[in-house]
Amino acid sequence: MESDFKLRAQGLTRDYAGTRAVDGVDIALAPGEILGLLGPNGAGKTTTLRMLAGTLAATAGTVTLAGHDLAGEPQRAKRHLGYLPERPPVYPELTVDEYLGFCARLHAVPRRQRREAIAAARADCGLEDTGRRLIGHLSKGYQQRVGIAQAIVHRPDVVILDEPTAGLDPNQLRGIRELIARLSRAHSVIISSHILSEIQATAARVVIMHQGRIVFDEPLGGTSAPVVEIALREAVTADSLTGLDGVAHATALDDHRWQLTPAPGCDIREMIAETAAGRGWGLLELGAARYSLEERFAALTSRDAPPREAAA
Amino acid sequence: MSVMLAIARHEWSRLFVSPLAWMLLAITQLLTGLLFALSLTDLSLNPQRIGEYDGVSELVGAGLFRFATVVLLLVVPLLTMRAFAEERKSGNLELMLAAPVSPFALVLGKFAGTMGYLTVMWALIGLMPLSLLTSTPLDVGLLAAGLLGLWLVMAAFTAVGVFISALTREPTLAAIGTLGALLLLWLIYALSTMDWQPVVLGTTLPLADAAEALSLIGHHDALLRGIFASADLLYFVIFTACFLALAAVRIDMERH
């Protein structure tokens, strides 16, 4: 199983002077997958990504890149990695071609393939016409593209992009989104953001971090079972609802309305309808509420949010 | 190896697209050129002074190289502050730390790139006394030893600068720190010229000898006088290698 993942992190932990910034993070990235790392500012996203990229040593835990241990054989592991830090690491005094040439040499792209590699990276990032321009003269969106081109010029298995869409205008944003979607054809990608819509637009799987821990890790796109809202004529107790097979939580919305959270992987809609009819509860309404990522994000990352427990 | 060359080339080409490097080259040429012209004028006005020296080669050549060392004291910190401190501040060091590059290759690449630039400066300074070959016989051996000494001093200064640059994320702090360290090396030499022989527990400490042995300038002086000793050469090689190794250790610690 280990070799099925391009990148695998286990128990990643990082302490800064006594405070724990990242605590026991596990991440596995399958080939061709786009993983969105989401979290409020200060959740530990950048620290996690820096540990995955090998620019920061983990206090505890291991990172394996394409089968190579990042701590044990860093040079080999890093060959399979492209990394765009929060601030694109570009030199304003160089032209795009000079810069990408340096990055290709830095990643030991053989001399014969270098020209093609640079041209391909430029084409992928929509930089065809900018090869001879100074990076310092490019707009922020284009500098960001140069940063991404740098991360893919050596065709790594894993591309890590830390907030690639920060500070871009809507048009540039769309361009970068399309670019990231294209990248997933040949690379596994991890992108981080604190903006939900960004992750929703690009990622296939979402990991939400809060206070250094992973609090949510699920594929996007409605494969998870929906939360069910029902309205009953008769008054019932929460216990009678949570006692049902497959119901994890029951929350009273008002005297007659309930919100039922299913246990992972259970679709409880049919069962609820049959039970309500059988017990004579008088089922007036039954609806599946698919909570948006935004609501789940808010619930998971707001510190004072009450836990979703059965209301008495 | 190829990665090290890539970094050296990158460093070198970045220097030559920066106004700072051209300005430093111009000012160094102006200052050393003026000194060269002045010493020639002095010689033509007072030709009898040549008797105090080993001919034109020592009077003009060694004098010029000594002065160039002083100029280097100010030039090298401004170059080496770019190596790591500036890269760290701009966030570009991350690019190299995430690449499959060992800390040693990174430090050696930065060092080689800076030395490439300084070698251009060195060649331009060396051409001045060598231009006298057209009009007067010169002691080429003496000049060669002096030039070798100048190059070794450049390498040693650069190694100190690269190390101090690896310690901080403020380029100005790296520059000031390097300047201070280089001046300190100078001061150690001053100690060797003092007639001070402290006696501790009945034994006379060979302070002057120790200071001379440790001082970079003392070893350079021998080369300027045309004495080519492997001990001096080895001193520079070890000195340079030590500071580069320290820089590599510091860069390796970067991740922690």
Side-chain angles (χ1 to χ4, degrees):
Chain A
M1 279 304 285
E2 190 82 9
S3 59
D4 289 352
F5 294 109
K6 288 292 176 195
L7 177 145
R8 196 181 178 108
Q10 283 172 313
L12 271 192
T13 301
R14 173 73 200 193
D15 295 334
Y16 282 118
T19 51
R20 187 148 281 196
V22 172
D23 190 2
V25 163
D26 296 312
I27 288 177
L29 188 65
E33 186 175 35
I34 301 185
L35 187 148
L37 187 60
L38 195 61
N41 288 320
K45 299 187 299 287
T46 294
T47 305
T48 305
L49 294 185
R50 289 188 64 202
M51 283 192 283
L52 295 180
T55 63
L56 189 71
T59 309
T62 57
V63 179
T64 317
L65 264 163
H68 300 287
D69 180 37
L70 190 60
E73 31 183 10
Q75 253 78 277
R76 262 168 206 237
K78 283 175 184 174
R79 254 165 221 229
H80 302 277
L81 169 83
Y83 174 49
L84 171 70
E86 227 171 342
R87 205 161 20 147
V90 293
Y91 294 91
E93 68 269 33
L94 298 183
T95 67
V96 173
D97 274 349
E98 283 170 344
Y99 174 67
L100 291 179
F102 167 63
C103 295
R105 278 191 288 270
L106 201 59
H107 285 96
V109 175
R111 179 193 292 267
R112 272 168 281 129
Q113 296 160 23
R114 222 174 278 152
R115 189 185 289 266
E116 278 172 44
I118 294 168
R122 275 209 344 248
D124 276 351
C125 297
L127 293 165
E128 288 96 338
D129 307 324
T130 54
R132 309 189 70 157
R133 289 187 59 187
L134 285 178
I135 295 175
H137 291 171
L138 296 174
S139 68
K140 186 156 175 21
Y142 271 91
Q143 291 195 7
Q144 198 77 30
R145 283 164 187 242
V146 174
I148 298 176
Q150 162 274 125
I152 61 168
V153 70
H154 52 293
R155 297 292 151 190
D157 290 328
V158 177
V159 180
I160 297 177
L161 308 173
D162 195 355
E163 307 232 350
T165 52
L168 301 183
D169 71 35
N171 286 335
Q172 294 170 330
L173 246 158
R174 206 176 56 229
I176 297 281
R177 271 186 208 162
E178 285 166 6
L179 164 60
I180 292 168
R182 267 205 310 279
L183 289 184
S184 72
R185 287 182 211 149
H187 313 271
S188 306
V189 184
I190 299 184
I191 66 169
S192 82
S193 179
H194 58 272
I195 305 166
L196 270 148
S197 56
E198 274 319 300
I199 299 288
Q200 273 177 312
T202 46
R205 190 152 70 87
V206 177
V207 170
I208 296 179
M209 281 189 80
H210 181 51
Q211 295 178 340
R213 289 166 189 272
I214 289 183
V215 290
F216 177 92
D217 181 354
E218 261 180 40
L220 270 183
T223 50
S224 58
V227 172
V228 174
E229 280 186 15
I230 52 172
L232 303 174
R233 193 163 10 88
E234 302 299 318
V236 295
T237 61
D239 286 342
S240 62
L241 290 169
T242 47
L244 297 174
D245 214 20
V247 177
H249 300 295
T251 311
L253 299 173
D254 58 37
D255 286 348
H256 297 283
R257 301 176 73 85
W258 293 88
Q259 186 190 80
L260 307 176
T261 309
C266 293
D267 192 340
I268 55 172
R269 285 172 290 186
E270 205 177 334
M271 182 274 292
I272 291 290
E274 283 170 1
T275 312
R279 300 195 187 173
W281 285 344
L283 182 64
L284 302 174
E285 282 175 34
L286 188 149
R290 279 180 203 281
Y291 276 86
S292 69
L293 192 59
E294 187 170 355
E295 286 161 302
R296 301 183 83 166
F297 179 74
L300 288 165
T301 58
S302 55
R303 227 167 278 184
D304 315 320
R308 287 188 180 187
E309 289 300 324
Chain B
M1 187 63 188
S2 63
V3 170
M4 193 208 95
L5 285 179
I7 293 170
R9 205 178 123 177
H10 173 66
E11 203 63 15
W12 152 279
S13 57
R14 272 183 62 231
L15 270 170
F16 279 100
V17 293
S18 82
L20 173 80
W22 287 107
M23 196 66 190
L24 284 179
L25 210 54
I27 287 177
T28 311
Q29 279 310 100
L30 178 73
L31 293 176
T32 49
L34 276 176
L35 185 99
F36 178 62
L38 280 177
S39 57
L40 280 185
T41 315
D42 184 34
L43 184 65
S44 66
L45 291 175
N46 309 294
Q48 74 282 1
R49 284 192 57 208
I50 197 108
E52 302 164 25
Y53 294 91
D54 266 353
V56 184
S57 303
E58 197 191 353
L59 178 60
V60 177
L64 178 68
F65 298 154
R66 259 196 201 95
F67 180 69
T69 316
V70 179
V71 178
L72 280 177
L73 258 164
L74 306 168
V75 167
V76 168
L78 293 174
L79 289 171
T80 53
M81 73 176 189
R82 302 162 49 97
F84 288 110
E86 205 174 281
E87 294 270 72
R88 195 176 280 132
K89 191 165 194 186
S90 68
N92 290 354
L93 195 59
E94 290 265 296
L95 175 70
M96 290 169 223
L97 293 179
V101 182
S102 73
F104 271 100
L106 183 53
V107 168
L108 280 179
K110 293 269 182 197
F111 173 74
T114 310
M115 278 314 287
Y117 167 84
L118 283 172
T119 303
V120 173
M121 193 181 269
W122 170 82
L124 288 173
I125 294 170
L127 278 178
M128 289 181 203
L130 288 175
S131 68
L132 294 179
L133 267 175
T134 53
S135 52
T136 176
L138 288 179
D139 183 346
V140 179
L142 183 83
L143 281 180
L147 271 174
L148 175 71
L150 185 62
W151 196 86
L152 289 171
V153 165
M154 281 177 167
F157 281 10
T158 306
V160 173
V162 165
F163 168 61
I164 292 174
S165 187
L167 294 179
T168 169
R169 62 178 296 116
E170 288 298 328
T172 43
L173 215 59
I176 297 286
T178 308
L179 181 66
L182 296 182
L183 284 172
L184 206 64
L185 287 172
W186 208 279
L187 269 184
I188 295 176
Y189 181 63
L191 200 62
S192 73
T193 57
M194 270 166 44
D195 188 20
W196 180 36
Q197 306 211 316
V199 180
V200 177
L201 301 172
T203 38
T204 309
L205 289 183
L207 202 66
D209 291 345
E212 192 171 1
L214 281 175
S215 161
L216 205 135
I217 306 304
H219 291 273
H220 184 210
D221 235 35
L223 283 160
L224 285 179
R225 278 182 272 119
I227 304 163
F228 180 87
S230 51
D232 294 325
L233 196 69
L234 213 59
Y235 169 85
F236 280 105
V237 171
I238 293 172
F239 185 97
T240 306
C242 278
F243 276 98
L244 291 181
L246 283 174
V249 169
R250 176 61 188 82
I251 291 301
D252 195 38
M253 278 163 59
E254 189 81 19
R255 307 187 309 120
H256 294 280

